[in-house]
Amino acid sequence: MSDKVEGIGGVVFRAKDPLALARWYETHLGVANGLEGTEVWRQQAGPTIFAPMTEFHRLGPRQGVMLNFRVGDLDRFLDRLRAEGIAIDDGVETEAGAGRFAWITDPEGNTVELWEPEAGL
């Protein structure tokens, strides 16, 4: 037993239509919602960034929390989302020492960051 947290146990946020939004995340991003008697999402082991910030690079002060999901192949993931009709914000950005980033918007207007970590993280 450790005297430190072991990971993120959940992400809980407000939504106008929680079940519809949970289904969108499950359908398009593979995040099982666990709300309908289904199994909860089991994420793969890997790096997790915990970064309080004064504002988000692409959002400014309008959004208080931004979800960041780790993906293995950002280009392939974005191609699939485009094929499913999901709008991708302009451009993929690379940050040395971190990896590649892209952004989408969920049906309730929340910006979601997709991250392909740099090899070796």
Side-chain angles (χ1 to χ4, degrees):
M1 185 171 246
S2 172
D3 63 346
K4 297 180 183 177
V5 298
E6 297 177 358
I8 294 179
V11 177
V12 181
F13 58 100
R14 289 191 172 105
K16 294 174 189 154
D17 188 341
L19 191 53
L21 192 58
R23 287 176 179 158
W24 183 89
Y25 276 88
E26 185 163 7
T27 298
H28 299 290
L29 303 184
V31 179
N33 66 53
L35 298 176
E36 301 174 277
T38 58
E39 186 175 334
V40 298
W41 178 46
R42 305 235 180 241
Q43 66 177 320
Q44 295 179 10
T48 300
I49 293 172
F50 182 80
M53 299 180 174
T54 57
E55 64 179 44
F56 302 115
H57 169 68
R58 297 181 69 89
L59 304 179
R62 72 176 176 85
Q63 186 171 314
V65 172
M66 182 169 57
L67 298 174
N68 170 301
F69 290 109
R70 187 173 7 97
V71 300
D73 183 331
L74 185 59
D75 295 322
R76 191 173 78 194
F77 200 85
L78 294 175
D79 287 344
R80 181 181 59 77
L81 291 178
R82 280 186 195 97
E84 294 174 359
I86 305 300
I88 312 297
D89 290 6
D90 290 337
V92 170
E93 294 184 13
T94 300
E95 184 178 322
R100 299 173 65 226
F101 299 86
W103 297 265
I104 62 174
T105 303
D106 75 17
E108 293 205 5
N110 300 301
T111 298
V112 177
E113 187 171 68
L114 302 173
W115 172 42
E116 179 184 332
E118 192 171 278
L121 276 182

